[in-house]
């Protein structure tokens, strides 16, 4: 069997997407292994999940640096130390800078069907707009906010009595499954990017 792909997962909160990746990688057939978990803050459940799984962790707080560019370099160096094949931004609430994006492919998720409703309030914005269908997007991160090439999307119906919480919970269930599926396929099958089109496999 070929060597498992190395994943560095970045988190800012509870780490439910991280947990889904940890659970999936417990099966050798998945083809990927979480080799480190990074965060931008201490004391979060995502770091605790990593510790319980005996996965190394690191924390780089933006406030510890005089400038954003210094933090960009520091977190890129911490990521690089684990020689990842893929970086997964799993609820990581910071935009990664050029030192990371130029050196590693970064997979990110968003709780809407991009390019509609980018930004921090995708679920709320979709509800406010009155859409009947929203969903989640898995993309390759770039320097913008939710502007990278789209890898996969899945629709989620908006129910008449949905509020932001109930809709977001249903989207997150789909998002976890889709993220695990796409990361596994990328590591096992490879991928290519042509313009804005991402293709997995040959």
């Amino acid at each position: 069997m070929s060597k498992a792909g190395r994943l560095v997962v970045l988190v800012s909160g509870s780490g439910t997407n991280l947990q889904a990746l940890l659970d999936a990688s417990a099966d050798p057939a998945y083809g990927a292994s979480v080799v480190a978990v990074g965060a931008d803050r201490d004391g979060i459940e995502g770091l605790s999940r990593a510790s319980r799984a005996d996965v190394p962790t690191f924390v780089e707080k933006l406030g510890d640096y005089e400038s954003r560019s210094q933090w960009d370099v520091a977190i890129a160096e911490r990521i690089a130390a684990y020689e990842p094949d893929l970086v997964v931004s799993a609820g990581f609430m910071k935009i990664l800078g050029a030192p990371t994006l130029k050196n590693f492919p970064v997979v990110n998720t968003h709780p809407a069907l991009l390019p509609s409703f980018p930004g921090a309030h995708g679920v709320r914005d979709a509800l406010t707009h009155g859409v009947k269908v929203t969903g989640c997007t898995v993309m390759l991160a770039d320097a913008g906010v939710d502007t990278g090439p789209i890898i996969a999307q899945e629709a989620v119906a908006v129910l008449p009595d949905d509020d932001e919480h109930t809709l977001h919970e249903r989207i997150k269930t789909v998002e976890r499954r889709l993220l695990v599926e796409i990361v596994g396929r990328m590591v096992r099958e490879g991928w290519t990017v042509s313009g804005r089109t991402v293709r997995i496999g040959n």
Side-chain angles (χ1 to χ4, degrees):
M1 184 155 185
S2 60
K3 178 175 75 77
R6 298 172 63 84
L7 308 179
V8 170
V9 183
L10 304 178
V11 296
S12 291
S14 63
T16 53
N17 281 345
L18 164 64
Q19 188 65 55
L21 289 165
L22 289 169
D23 293 346
S25 62
D27 181 354
Y30 184 62
S33 177
V34 180
V35 297
V37 172
D40 61 339
R41 63 196 70 184
D42 290 314
I44 57 172
E45 178 61 16
L47 291 173
S48 299
R49 290 177 190 273
S51 296
R52 290 195 293 270
D54 294 323
V55 173
T57 63
F58 61 89
V59 176
E60 289 292 347
K61 302 176 188 174
L62 181 58
D64 289 345
Y65 294 89
E66 292 182 5
S67 69
R68 180 63 181 249
S69 60
Q70 288 178 341
W71 178 83
D72 287 338
V73 170
I75 196 162
E77 288 176 348
R78 297 297 291 272
I79 291 168
Y82 293 96
E83 301 180 338
D85 298 301
L86 202 60
V87 176
V88 182
S89 178
F92 189 62
M93 300 308 289
K94 295 282 189 295
I95 294 175
L96 292 163
T100 297
L101 296 174
K102 285 182 177 177
N103 290 294
F104 305 103
V106 179
V107 174
N108 194 10
T109 64
H110 182 68
L113 295 175
L114 294 172
S116 296
F117 313 116
H121 305 291
V123 179
R124 186 179 73 193
D125 293 345
L127 269 177
T128 301
H129 199 76
V131 299
K132 305 307 179 190
V133 176
T134 184
C136 61
T137 301
V138 179
M139 78 201 99
L140 286 170
D142 64 8
V145 177
D146 301 323
T147 54
I150 291 167
I151 307 168
Q153 293 180 302
E154 191 163 326
V156 174
V158 180
L159 303 179
D161 58 348
D162 264 334
D163 59 24
E164 185 177 355
H165 174 75
T166 58
L167 179 57
H168 202 177
E169 287 303 309
R170 290 207 319 287
I171 292 172
K172 284 194 286 189
T173 299
V174 174
E175 180 182 77
R176 283 192 291 271
R177 175 175 50 74
L178 190 61
L179 177 65
V180 167
E181 175 193 331
I182 292 302
V183 166
R185 287 190 59 206
M186 290 175 75
V187 169
R188 293 190 306 270
E189 302 172 36
W191 72 94
T192 58
V193 183
S194 176
R196 291 197 54 83
T197 301
V198 182
R199 288 189 173 88
I200 298 178
N202 296 324

